Amino acid sequence: MTEWHWYRAHGLTVRSEIELPELMPGSPGPADLSIRLDPLPAQTFDGLDRSTPRIGGFRPTDAGYFVRFGMIAHFLVVERNTVLVTTIDGHDPGILRLVICGTIMGLILKMHGRLPMHAAAVVTPTGVALFVGDSGAGKSTLTAHLAASGFQVLSDDVTALANAPGGGMVAWPGTGVLKVKRDALLKLGTQPDTLPPVALRDDKHFLVNDTDPADRPFPISEVFQLAEGDGSPQIARLEPRSAIEALAGNTYRQGQTLLLGDQVAQFEKLGRLCQTADVYRLKRPWDATRVGETAAFLADHWRSMMATGRDSASG
């Protein structure tokens, strides 16, 4: 008899034969996504030769979208509700989970009509603030400091966006853990060696996201593009063209959009986000020991927004 593990992720109910502690615990019920340990069907490999194009890392086959990750596993995404996984002997379980919660989940979210962004998301008094930037820009570190200051965290790496029925965009909670660098953990008073390490990242550890956000969509009010600055933290609103470029450059696994042929739908969502949320460039010191300064600056910014009655992209 199959033993299922139940989770919630990005507004989806997930049941999995593989334990995924990186996701939020869920309850048994109708599943939006099933992750099964199964030998892939023979038709998966039809046409899998050097002439078969890969789009976004995946190869379209008669059975679904196929991808192989090194010596970890073969994956087959069947429609939008099933992922078949065939692990390879000697695989690293941590890397397997990283692939499932990252690349595979990204494709599933797109197939469910979500827009996954390479972004952290924090609930503020004025709505959700997204933080975008290149890998190493400090999204997770800043998110951990905001969590320590009492803000609810929806995600620290990938955030799923969707159209709100009444206009604007919403974000869903997506992660049960934060991936935080050792020096940031020490600054927060947490010993890194007491926490599980992140696969392929010797300098990061998993910190439980105990901010406990409600399992519902939250309206997005602001986006901050992280950038390096020399002095005190400061923000500047981006004009529309720069804003759309900042957002487009931080969509998650952009090649998957080509795989599904969803370029127009994605651009429409990005445009909607630009129209209904304030998009800023946030310059702050790159020094990890000064992240608390940036967190305090943002808290003051949100208090100012509340005091002036600005709770959305109101100019």
Side-chain angles (χ1 to χ4, degrees):
M1 182 176 178
T2 301
E3 179 183 0
W4 293 109
H5 306 278
W6 292 86
Y7 303 100
R8 294 288 296 169
H10 309 289
L12 304 180
T13 297
V14 180
R15 65 174 188 172
S16 174
E17 291 188 63
I18 300 168
E19 289 191 69
L20 301 170
E22 293 82 359
L23 303 182
M24 297 179 296
S27 301
D32 301 300
L33 172 62
S34 297
I35 301 172
R36 294 164 37 196
L37 283 167
D38 258 333
L40 302 191
Q43 62 264 40
T44 303
F45 301 95
D46 292 348
L48 283 184
D49 56 33
R50 292 182 182 274
S51 65
T52 305
R54 288 190 301 174
I55 307 173
F58 290 80
R59 295 185 191 271
T61 76
D62 294 340
Y65 297 116
F66 170 84
V67 66
R68 171 177 175 162
F69 278 85
M71 296 304 295
I72 304 302
H74 297 88
F75 299 89
L76 182 69
V77 179
V78 183
E79 296 182 343
R80 66 177 196 170
N81 57 8
T82 302
V83 177
L84 303 181
V85 184
T86 300
T87 57
I88 297 173
D89 290 344
H91 72 277
D92 184 321
I95 300 178
L96 175 65
R97 298 197 306 271
L98 197 67
V99 171
I100 293 173
C101 295
T103 298
I104 301 301
M105 186 64 73
L107 180 60
I108 292 294
L109 291 171
K110 290 175 187 284
M111 296 173 78
H112 276 267
R114 306 273 203 271
L115 173 62
M117 297 288 294
H118 190 203
V122 174
V123 181
T124 81
T126 64
V128 167
L130 300 181
F131 297 93
V132 301
D134 296 336
S135 294
K139 296 184 294 294
S140 296
T141 300
L142 178 56
T143 300
H145 274 77
L146 290 170
S149 299
F151 293 95
Q152 289 184 321
V153 175
L154 302 186
S155 177
D156 80 326
D157 185 40
V158 178
T159 302
L161 279 53
N163 291 339
M169 300 289 289
V170 295
W172 287 86
T175 182
V177 294
L178 311 178
K179 298 186 285 292
V180 187
K181 288 186 175 181
R182 292 179 62 88
D183 54 358
L185 290 167
L186 291 170
K187 186 69 175 178
L188 292 168
T190 300
Q191 289 300 319
D193 293 335
T194 65
L195 303 173
V198 177
L200 302 178
R201 290 296 303 267
D202 293 338
D203 62 333
K204 283 195 173 186
H205 293 259
F206 286 117
L207 179 67
V208 173
N209 178 14
D210 57 7
T211 63
D212 196 27
D215 186 26
R216 64 173 178 83
F218 291 78
I220 299 168
S221 59
E222 295 175 301
V223 182
F224 295 91
Q225 181 189 40
L226 300 184
E228 184 175 5
D230 295 329
S232 300
Q234 55 183 304
I235 59 174
R237 189 190 301 271
L238 296 180
E239 51 87 15
R241 179 173 178 176
S242 296
I244 198 75
E245 288 176 350
L247 295 175
N250 286 281
T251 56
Y252 190 72
R253 300 292 189 264
Q254 297 181 40
Q256 295 177 354
T257 302
L258 298 176
L259 177 72
L260 300 176
D262 282 349
Q263 298 95 312
V264 173
Q266 174 176 290
F267 189 79
E268 289 175 347
K269 287 184 174 68
L270 293 175
R272 184 180 178 120
L273 181 59
C274 276
Q275 291 173 353
T276 57
D278 295 325
V279 183
Y280 300 100
R281 177 170 291 117
L282 168 58
K283 289 188 175 182
R284 82 277 189 256
W286 219 249
D287 185 351
T289 63
R290 296 183 62 184
V291 177
E293 183 181 339
T294 303
F297 169 82
L298 288 168
D300 287 341
H301 164 74
W302 293 321
R303 279 192 289 269
S304 175
M305 294 282 283
M306 289 292 290
T308 56
R310 295 173 61 200
D311 59 358
S312 63
S314 54

